[in-house]
Amino acid sequence: MSGRQAVSPRSRRQARLDLILEAAEGVFADAGFEGASMSSIAAAAGLPKANLHYYFGTKEALYRAVLEGILTLWLSATDPIRPEADPAEALSAYVRAKMRWSRQRPQASRVFANEVLHGALYLQSYLAGPLRALVREKSAVIEGWIAEGRMRPVSPPHLFFAIWAMTQTYADFDPQIRAVLDCPPLDEQAQAQGGATVLQLVLGGCGLA
Amino acid sequence: MSGRQAVSPRSRRQARLDLILEAAEGVFADAGFEGASMSSIAAAAGLPKANLHYYFGTKEALYRAVLEGILTLWLSATDPIRPEADPAEALSAYVRAKMRWSRQRPQASRVFANEVLHGALYLQSYLAGPLRALVREKSAVIEGWIAEGRMRPVSPPHLFFAIWAMTQTYADFDPQIRAVLDCPPLDEQAQAQGGATVLQLVLGGCGLA
DNA sequence: AACATTCTTGACCGTTCGGTCAGGATTTTC
DNA sequence: GAAAATCCTGACCGAACGGTCAAGAATGTT
């Protein structure tokens, strides 16, 4: 059928971009922005360094592209928090989604954490923009639940900070957790127990136990 | 009384070391290990770069010295968790101590976080040694409280991970929190509200509300 | 087949990095 | 006050960094 080759130029280019972005995410997660070198990212991608510069121009541009890919995922988990939902179910679903994210994309979480940790200079517009808006919106939902007596009074933004911190710690502080628990490989049972503990604290703290 | 000058050579040297360590902690907190340069640390301390090398030899040795200073503080807050103590009071005191630490030594917290985030290669012996031992010891205390029916069953290590995450987030993720809350300066009220929320989650989750 | 566009890369460049060192200043010791 | 020990620092070094570029290879278009 037709002369179109199986791999279109568009997708060839996209595959190259994705290959580089994936390698870059891993190196940025391990070493941070300053610690990562273009040569090490190139080595991780199996490409010559000059090729990365052809596609992304500068290290900063590559870093921003990695961050952008992470942010698109970052905002999508709050869906279950809607006024008509059951508070316990909604918060449980949200916590579970965040735990899943830490388990499946730990590198993304660590790149994000590293960025915020060092001042969030590339993320400020995102934090003060879409993220703030999202927190405002979802906080209103929670305030509604509280007003209706469906859960204990809490400061909704701080509840979000707590949930983010507790769930992301399983990605960001993984070396500490593994060292303390003495389980070098990714222990599935430990992560399940962690998720259960986080849920217990959130639900218990909100009077939904 | 002798010719000893008001400032002994011992304390003169110590003052110099402390000056450098303090400057280094700040720069490492802002930029991470790789991002920090010896010249920027020297500039922050108001000394020539070669002077830092005179006292600490290498950048790595200086970094280790900064970490060591941080670790001595890191282990000291679990004191209130003792078998004969009241669970609610003990956990409250612990959470408050951790919140105070995040407020008063945010740079130390961020250096620690950065180190763990990037694999904890300089901290592994500490994490798997004294920290693991401490968690084991205090976990036994909490298990005891649970067995006596004085609090709800929880996985004690994961409770610690949760408390560490929630309290340290106020130092490590400060840019995110400030951006979302829209309070550029250090908002004392926000931090108090954060502390109250963390306490509510911990006590509520442990059935101590 | 000829041309245009896109892609690829080894070699190179200026800068900055961590670290060294000689030699002078300062302080301590006797 | 002289000798010894410690402290201080401008100048320098090789390595690694981010980034550039010209020239060739591959691909797409007509």
Side-chain angles (χ1 to χ4, degrees), chain A residues 80 86-100 103 159 162-167 170 190-209, chain B residues 152-155 158-159 162 166 200-207:
Chain A
D86 174 65
E89 275 177 29
L91 289 177
S92 297
Y94 181 54
V95 167
R96 271 192 290 264
K98 283 288 180 198
M99 285 297 289
R100 199 180 319 121
R103 202 178 317 126
L159 177 62
I163 291 173
W164 297 343
M166 285 190 285
T167 55
Y170 285 92
Q191 204 128 20
Q193 207 167 11
T197 304
V198 173
L199 260 179
Q200 179 172 336
L201 294 198
V202 170
L203 297 182
C206 295
L208 299 168
Chain B
R152 273 181 68 191
V154 208
S155 166
H158 290 280
L159 177 61
M166 286 190 286
Q200 179 172 337
L201 293 198
V202 171
L203 297 182
C206 295

Side-chain angles (χ1 to χ4, degrees), chain A residues 30-55:
Chain A
D30 286 343
F33 176 76
E34 311 274 2
S37 70
M38 290 300 275
S39 1
S40 62
I41 295 172
L47 297 171
K49 188 186 63 158
N51 203 302
L52 309 202
H53 280 102
Y54 172 76
Y55 280 108

